[in-house]
Amino acid sequence: MPVPSPSPTAPRPKREFNQTLMSLAPSAIREFFDLVTESEGIVSLGVGEPDFVTPWDVREHAIYTLERGATSYTSNLGLLELRREIAKYLEERFDLVYDPRTEILVTVGVSQGLDIAMRALLNPGDQVIYHEPCYVAYRPMIALAGGDPVSITVRYEDNFRIDLEKLESLITPRTRALLVNYPCNPTGATFSAEECRRVADIAERHDLTIVSDEVYAEMTYDQPHIAMPTQPGARERTVLLNGFSKAFAMTGWRIGFAAGPADIVAAMTKVFQFAMLSAPIMSQNAAIEALRRRHKDVPEMIEIYNQRRRVIVEGMRAIGIDCHMPEGAFYAFPCIRKFGLSSKDFCVRLLKEEKVAVVPGSGFGGEGEGFIRCAYAAGFDEIEFAIRGMERMINRL
Ligand SMILES: Cc1ncc(COP(=O)(O)O)c(C=O)c1O
């Protein structure tokens, strides 16, 4: 006999949830996107997701392996063939040498790499210093792993560079790790060679682990990306997180990897083997193909992002919006302070009046209030539509 669902007016049992979870602010971005999904005919520069479909030969290879019956679990670390391809890629592309047997773990996106890195590294109360505005998951992931998130704010006036002296001054005996992301979501700022060297030097002097989220490593436009573990003293203390979502246009496959010293990878694998067992084999097979072809479409996609970057920044400047030139990733983070609206009000009006979705900067923490994040993972026509919409709205203010 089916059990009838309870009446909507029946009192609900009082439930308790994890207190850290309950203390976290809900994602302002989610809240905003609920509004976007309720609206129709929207041009969105909101989501940090490539507008390209995964290259066909990658999809085809995944279909082929599936047809041949590759539907099983894999080793916790991931298919050895994929780890070998990742090792080759890291060496050829970023001058990094990792042992595919012990130093690379295939994860379910960088998101999961971040989660298990925090869970493997932190004891209750350990501090992790990270820079804000930042990717929305950092503070929650640190906190949910029992850590104490400590943020340093980066500012538009400083071109979103991290004040490394200030960062060093935040270190206490409880500090366990530095979490960095470059090129950065949402600011588009990246690290120069000198900044990388200084971060590594600070970590070494204070015996800290670096968790380096380099998911946008392929997307640097003005200078080559410098991987953190290449810096003197950094390799033995860095967990490098990267993946396929952005540069390879593979967000939905949920596939990424962590590379680091064998003891850290072993600790992360221990969490992973209980939490996940293995990343989906179909996605691992797709990733093998993406790397085997070093995917030939990537440079072309990056060049298109580069052109869009100039179009969006120049377009905004031309209508009087202050915007720095992002050095990497696919986000512009213009300043809207002078229009006298909060970033949320600006975005809600833009959405309602002009059908353009961009994300309130307040959702990224730090001094994100007063900014909006515009992802240029959208076609030129859409970027143009968004800029004209902003222009009309600003003129009405
Ligand atoms: C900085 C940063 N790290 C990690 C992620 C998550 O990446 P993945 O899709 O590999 O989980 C994102 C996605 O937007 C991001 O911007």
Side-chain angles (χ1 to χ4, degrees):
M1 269 266 287
V3 181
S5 32
S7 133
T9 52
R12 276 219 244 130
K14 192 166 165 9
R15 259 187 278 273
E16 301 234 331
F17 292 95
N18 176 281
Q19 285 179 2
T20 308
L21 180 67
M22 290 302 109
S23 71
L24 294 170
S27 163
I29 297 180
R30 225 359 75 222
E31 195 189 321
F32 183 70
F33 272 94
D34 289 344
L35 251 182
V36 175
T37 27
E38 287 162 17
S39 324
E40 274 175 22
I42 301 296
V43 163
S44 179
L45 306 188
V47 191
E49 168 154 34
D51 56 326
F52 300 109
V53 174
T54 306
W56 166 241
D57 37 17
V58 173
R59 286 181 278 152
E60 190 180 39
H61 183 72
I63 294 166
Y64 170 75
T65 57
L66 196 54
E67 274 182 351
R68 307 246 320 191
T71 57
S72 61
Y73 291 133
T74 69
S75 138
N76 295 141
L77 288 163
L79 293 168
L80 184 57
E81 193 185 352
L82 174 55
R83 284 181 277 139
R84 286 201 174 113
E85 288 296 340
I86 292 169
K88 261 199 260 169
Y89 169 68
L90 290 176
E91 182 163 6
E92 286 168 18
R93 189 74 184 82
F94 301 110
D95 216 8
L96 295 167
V97 177
Y98 285 100
D99 181 345
R101 293 188 174 273
T102 55
E103 296 184 317
I104 293 173
L105 167 67
V106 177
T107 58
V108 180
V110 171
S111 308
Q112 197 210 11
L114 177 68
D115 179 24
I116 59 177
M118 292 305 152
R119 288 204 265 166
L121 290 170
L122 301 182
N123 279 304
D126 282 352
Q127 291 174 332
V128 179
I129 303 178
Y130 67 101
H131 46 102
E132 279 187 339
C134 67
Y135 180 49
V136 290
Y138 288 170
R139 173 172 281 273
M141 285 297 111
I142 298 166
L144 288 170
D148 180 7
V150 176
S151 64
I152 173 163
T153 295
V154 295
R155 296 193 166 78
Y156 175 72
E157 293 71 17
D158 306 327
N159 256 331
F160 299 117
R161 320 307 304 178
I162 302 176
D163 179 341
L164 292 172
E165 270 170 35
K166 177 132 185 262
L167 181 143
E168 190 164 6
S169 74
L170 296 176
I171 296 172
T172 73
R174 289 200 294 129
T175 309
R176 174 80 176 88
L178 303 177
L179 168 56
V180 292
N181 166 226
Y182 65 102
C184 175
N185 171 10
T187 68
T190 193
F191 284 174
S192 65
E194 169 67 8
E195 286 165 321
C196 282
R197 195 192 54 69
R198 286 182 61 199
V199 170
D201 176 57
I202 292 171
E204 192 173 26
R205 279 190 287 107
H206 295 273
D207 194 19
L208 305 176
T209 300
I210 305 171
V211 178
S212 193
D213 178 347
E214 303 184 23
V215 71
Y216 298 101
E218 289 280 355
M219 300 181 168
T220 47
Y221 306 109
D222 303 324
Q223 61 180 59
H225 180 80
I226 298 163
M228 186 57 74
T230 58
Q231 299 306 296
R235 191 191 181 288
E236 280 314 303
R237 56 180 66 253
T238 302
V239 185
L240 172 75
L241 302 178
N242 202 336
F244 298 84
S245 287
K246 311 292 175 172
F248 295 90
M250 290 177 68
T251 47
W253 301 83
R254 310 306 305 124
I255 188 93
F257 59 89
D263 60 333
I264 302 186
V265 169
M268 288 172 65
T269 308
K270 202 164 170 187
V271 183
F272 184 81
Q273 73 190 2
F274 297 124
M276 193 59 64
L277 278 113
S278 67
I281 190 168
M282 305 77 159
S283 305
Q284 294 194 49
N285 278 319
I288 289 173
E289 186 64 10
L291 288 182
R292 218 191 264 141
R293 296 186 169 256
R294 193 68 77 252
H295 203 283
K296 58 179 188 351
D297 293 358
V298 171
E300 202 180 309
M301 292 193 276
I302 305 297
E303 181 44 36
I304 295 173
Y305 289 129
N306 190 10
Q307 290 167 15
R308 291 169 176 177
R309 167 179 82 125
R310 295 189 180 284
V311 168
I312 195 165
V313 171
E314 282 158 19
M316 276 189 292
R317 287 178 181 168
I319 60 170
I321 299 182
D322 301 324
C323 188
H324 85 130
M325 183 61 81
E327 301 157 288
F330 44 40
Y331 307 104
F333 202 56
C335 180
I336 46 110
R337 283 182 201 139
K338 68 179 179 198
F339 302 112
L341 293 176
S342 72
S343 61
K344 189 170 170 203
D345 289 347
F346 188 98
C347 293
V348 171
R349 280 194 62 173
L350 189 62
L351 182 69
K352 294 200 165 148
E353 296 173 19
E354 296 294 340
K355 293 196 172 295
V356 172
V358 296
V359 184
S362 51
F364 301 95
E367 291 199 359
E369 179 50 61
F371 293 82
I372 54 173
R373 191 192 75 175
C374 309
Y376 46 90
F380 290 104
D381 291 352
E382 290 170 302
I383 292 173
E384 180 62 23
F385 181 94
I387 289 172
R388 294 286 77 85
M390 283 183 209
E391 183 178 29
R392 282 190 297 273
M393 185 188 121
I394 292 166
N395 288 340
R396 283 194 298 271
L397 292 176

